[in-house]
Amino acid sequence: MAESDVSSDFPEGVPCWVDAQLPDVEAGKRFYGELFGWTFAQGYGPDGLAHLDGEPVAGLTRKRDGRMPTVWTVYFATPDAIALARRITDAGGKLITVPTPVDSLGTMALVTDPEGAVFGLWQAGTHAGFGRRHERDSFCWAELYARDTTAVDRFYGALFRDALFGPDASPDFGRAPVSDVYPAEMPPHFLVHFGVEDCDAVLGTVNRLGGRVQATPFDTSYGRVAVVTDNQGASFAVLER
């Protein structure tokens, strides 16, 4: 995907990338390679870039600090990460990492919304984001599990108004109360969803590869979903549409 395509393919506020921060990237490559058929190449930060049919779909990165959580993170596109980070903090969010260049690939930052849910910002350089999405074995959705849904509706509605409500909007993320799926004490967070052909059938593969099922399949407005963790504890969802 050429850099000139960024504005049309990934307007500000559209999920454009996901990555997992793992203690053992090689183990992650084996897990996701077998689960989703991803192949890996060097060129995404210090580790590897996951491809599906030759197109980039996700990144697996090594945790620099063992105290960091083992998680999947969703990144929202922006033409100006510094300006968007400022708007986020002005609206009650927090900055975890300042916008930082990642070689020539782009500029990234990690932030939180007012409830503490973590997400990323991505200002494209040579890496625009997903080469494939909205299909089997690739990113399909991100669900925000929040405590105060009214407050987060205001926050994201103001922050990403065009991406969510503009005339050409086709949102790739939604929100639900934490208690819909998780215990009430679970912190607010984004859950990355990957497309699968059969939500029920894939759970056996997750278990065989050393992962764990957190929530058995349930129906939502955007498809049939199950929540799992990989063999290192990173949570994600599989989505059948």
Side-chain angles (χ1 to χ4, degrees):
M1 187 181 298
E3 186 174 352
S4 60
D5 294 334
V6 172
S7 61
S8 59
D9 287 348
F10 299 111
E12 185 165 78
V14 172
C16 67
W17 193 242
V18 292
D19 68 14
Q21 296 83 51
L22 304 173
D24 187 338
V25 170
E26 292 305 313
K29 290 178 181 179
R30 292 190 293 271
F31 180 91
Y32 291 101
E34 185 162 351
L35 184 65
F36 293 137
W38 293 349
T39 57
F40 294 88
Q42 294 302 313
Y44 180 71
D47 300 307
L49 180 70
H51 288 84
L52 180 65
D53 298 331
E55 297 288 347
V57 290
L60 303 183
T61 65
R62 185 171 290 105
K63 292 199 299 184
R64 294 188 178 94
D65 186 333
R67 295 169 296 182
M68 294 172 60
T70 301
V71 293
W72 277 97
T73 300
V74 60
Y75 293 79
F76 292 89
T78 178
D80 189 335
I82 292 174
L84 181 54
R86 186 179 304 116
R87 285 161 46 208
I88 287 168
T89 56
D90 287 347
K94 294 183 179 179
L95 202 59
I96 299 175
T97 62
V98 299
T100 304
V102 183
D103 298 322
S104 63
L105 297 173
T107 298
M108 67 159 288
L110 290 177
V111 297
T112 76
D113 67 19
E115 287 204 323
V118 176
F119 60 99
L121 312 180
W122 183 253
Q123 178 183 333
T126 58
H127 177 65
F130 298 122
R132 300 179 79 97
R133 55 179 173 156
H134 302 158
E135 58 187 80
R136 182 179 174 182
D137 301 323
S138 68
F139 170 83
C140 286
W141 188 259
E143 187 78 349
L144 170 62
Y145 286 97
R147 290 208 176 99
D148 186 340
T149 55
T150 301
V152 298
D153 284 353
R154 286 196 302 268
F155 176 80
Y156 290 101
L159 196 66
F160 299 141
R161 178 166 298 279
D162 287 346
L164 291 170
F165 306 116
D168 300 319
S170 181
D172 281 341
F173 82 96
R175 64 102 185 103
V178 165
S179 56
D180 278 5
V181 176
Y182 298 96
E185 61 270 18
M186 172 68 76
H189 65 283
F190 277 95
L191 183 67
V192 172
H193 292 52
F194 297 105
V196 295
E197 184 175 344
D198 186 330
C199 188
D200 297 82
V202 77
L203 301 185
T205 305
V206 168
N207 282 323
R208 178 174 59 79
L209 294 173
R212 182 171 58 87
V213 177
Q214 284 186 289
T216 55
F218 56 95
D219 293 321
T220 72
S221 60
Y222 53 91
R224 186 163 174 77
V225 173
V227 182
V228 301
T229 64
D230 67 17
N231 57 344
Q232 299 180 68
S235 295
F236 63 97
V238 292
L239 171 60
E240 176 189 342
R241 284 176 159 163

